[in-house]
Amino acid sequence: DAGVIQSPRHEVTEMGQEVTLRCKPISGHDYLFWYRQTMMRGLELLIYFNNNVPIDDSGMPEDRFSAKMPNASFSTLKIQPSEPRDSAVYFCASSLTPLSQPQHFGDGTRLSIL
Amino acid sequence: AQSVTQLGSHVSVSEGALVLLRCNYSSSVPPYLFWYVQYPNQGLQLLLKYTTGATLVKGINGFEAEFKKSETSFHLTKPSAHMSDAAEYFCAVSGNAGNMLTFGGGTRLMVKP
């Protein structure tokens, strides 16, 4: 079975540009998570969805960040406008209920804002 | 609130030596505990998990971990390190609503030939 699929794998763009990261969760999974990983802050949960509904977005750093899940097989994380401090690896993960189920991670998007 | 502490951000062992990566957690509810491994330029992969039952859990690649409630620990071990084990390892705890995981800061394992 296909795992969590993220695109693009690498993104380099200039400050001020809009960035859109994409994620396709594992089919049948009802939870979807967006994380950010940096050397300084480690792995941070940004937002998560349950059955396509955002449940907790308290980790979203600023209003420049937004996430959507229009259907069970697709989610986006958007940064507008982007800043150099947004440079990081962004991971998407999905899981099944209940809590004992592990999260399955994509390979991430390495984002560089110049 | 839950938290996870991984002692030692970097651990170095010789090939063939015992691997011990430490993880302590705090949780107000019975925890579910996970170890993940991250190889360079990849996402996190599940190594093993503890939910209920037997406290000694075996995972992939010869790793195992023991849940010790009295010590609030879930240390990861492997009897004999291999060069391919060099990676970053994350301990995580779940137990709150929402399938949220709380991750430790990670331990980078280096294996010397």
Side-chain angles (χ1 to χ4, degrees):
Chain A
D1 286 341
V4 175
I5 299 172
Q6 291 187 247
S7 64
R9 287 296 314 276
H10 303 274
E11 174 88 14
V12 180
T13 191
E14 292 189 345
M15 182 174 65
Q17 297 298 305
E18 177 178 291
V19 173
T20 299
L21 311 181
R22 297 172 175 80
C23 175
K24 177 179 170 57
I26 293 173
S27 177
H29 282 193
D30 51 356
Y31 280 87
L32 184 138
F33 305 82
W34 282 101
Y35 292 89
R36 178 172 68 175
Q37 186 178 39
T38 61
M39 291 290 290
M40 292 296 293
R41 301 174 69 92
L43 201 59
E44 304 173 274
L45 176 65
L46 300 177
I47 185 172
Y48 77 94
F49 296 82
N50 179 217
N51 292 323
N52 314 336
V53 176
I55 303 300
D56 187 342
D57 65 354
S58 60
M60 297 284 261
E62 299 172 37
D63 292 344
R64 299 183 295 105
F65 286 70
S66 63
K68 294 182 179 179
M69 192 165 186
N71 56 62
S73 59
F74 184 65
S75 177
T76 59
L77 178 67
K78 191 170 291 187
I79 309 172
Q80 167 62 20
S82 58
E83 297 182 4
R85 60 196 168 116
D86 302 330
S87 297
V89 182
Y90 290 81
F91 289 103
C92 177
S94 69
S95 73
L96 289 164
T97 321
L99 300 174
S100 60
Q101 293 298 316
Q103 293 181 15
H104 298 261
F105 284 75
D107 283 336
T109 295
R110 184 172 297 275
L111 178 63
S112 297
I113 308 298
L114 306 177
Chain B
Q2 296 177 313
S3 67
V4 178
T5 301
Q6 292 184 238
L7 292 176
S9 58
H10 292 80
V11 170
S12 181
V13 300
S14 297
E15 191 172 22
L18 171 73
V19 176
L20 171 61
L21 304 182
R22 300 179 186 274
C23 172
N24 288 89
Y25 69 91
S26 68
S27 177
S28 58
V29 298
Y32 301 116
L33 295 158
F34 305 84
W35 274 100
Y36 285 85
V37 60
Q38 184 179 29
Y39 298 102
N41 299 317
Q42 294 186 26
L44 280 68
Q45 301 174 30
L46 181 69
L47 266 181
L48 50 79
K49 66 175 183 178
Y50 169 79
T51 53
T52 59
T55 56
L56 182 62
V57 180
K58 294 186 185 299
I60 62 172
N61 302 338
F63 284 93
E64 61 183 35
E66 186 171 12
F67 169 58
K68 292 188 176 180
K69 184 178 179 180
S70 61
E71 299 178 7
T72 61
S73 69
F74 191 56
H75 301 331
L76 182 70
T77 61
K78 182 174 180 177
S80 177
H82 191 272
M83 296 297 289
S84 62
D85 294 326
E88 187 147 21
Y89 292 80
F90 291 91
C91 181
V93 62
S94 173
N96 288 330
N99 274 31
M100 288 175 59
L101 285 177
T102 301
F103 284 91
T107 297
R108 185 166 299 277
L109 175 66
M110 295 165 283
V111 182
K112 299 176 291 186

